[in-house]
Amino acid sequence: IKIDGGLYKYGKADMTNMASSGQPRRLQSQLTKLRNNYPSSVIEGKILYQNSSISTKGIKSIETQYIQRYYDLFGELPPANPRHPGIMIKE
């Protein structure tokens, strides 16, 4: 999810539970909430890894990989992922 072009959050979504918008329901719900909270901002949601047969455990691992890549590049976690388990933080 991005707010005004800046990364806000990486997250996982159940691709077997889709909203009428074509987005996973969980993602659509988060986008709607953020659009209500930030009405003058551009809120975008993008699916980075699409696989309708992956388990919740499997997609959690993919989410962790994306957050780790972000941390490795920028030295911090994305704003809405401050306490994500599994990230190797360099001291």
Side-chain angles (χ1 to χ4, degrees):
I1 296 175
K2 289 185 176 184
I3 298 178
D4 293 330
L7 181 64
Y8 171 71
K9 178 181 184 179
Y10 284 112
K12 60 190 177 310
D14 181 354
M15 297 298 293
T16 64
N17 190 0
M18 303 297 278
S20 60
S21 65
Q23 297 275 29
R25 283 195 193 283
R26 179 180 172 130
L27 174 58
Q28 187 60 53
S29 175
Q30 290 182 353
L31 294 175
T32 299
K33 181 179 177 182
L34 288 169
R35 287 177 180 138
N36 289 335
N37 289 342
Y38 304 98
S40 61
S41 293
V42 176
I43 310 295
E44 302 171 278
K46 181 179 178 183
I47 299 168
L48 301 176
Y49 185 88
Q50 190 165 344
N51 182 334
S52 61
S53 64
I54 197 166
S55 68
T56 300
K57 182 179 179 181
I59 201 63
K60 185 69 174 172
S61 173
I62 303 277
E63 175 193 29
T64 300
Q65 289 173 26
Y66 277 98
I67 294 171
Q68 184 68 55
R69 283 186 208 149
Y70 183 93
Y71 179 81
D72 291 345
L73 283 171
F74 301 106
E76 62 186 20
L77 296 174
N81 297 109
R83 293 191 177 108
H84 192 280
I87 304 302
M88 301 298 296
I89 296 177
K90 300 169 187 131
E91 300 285 333

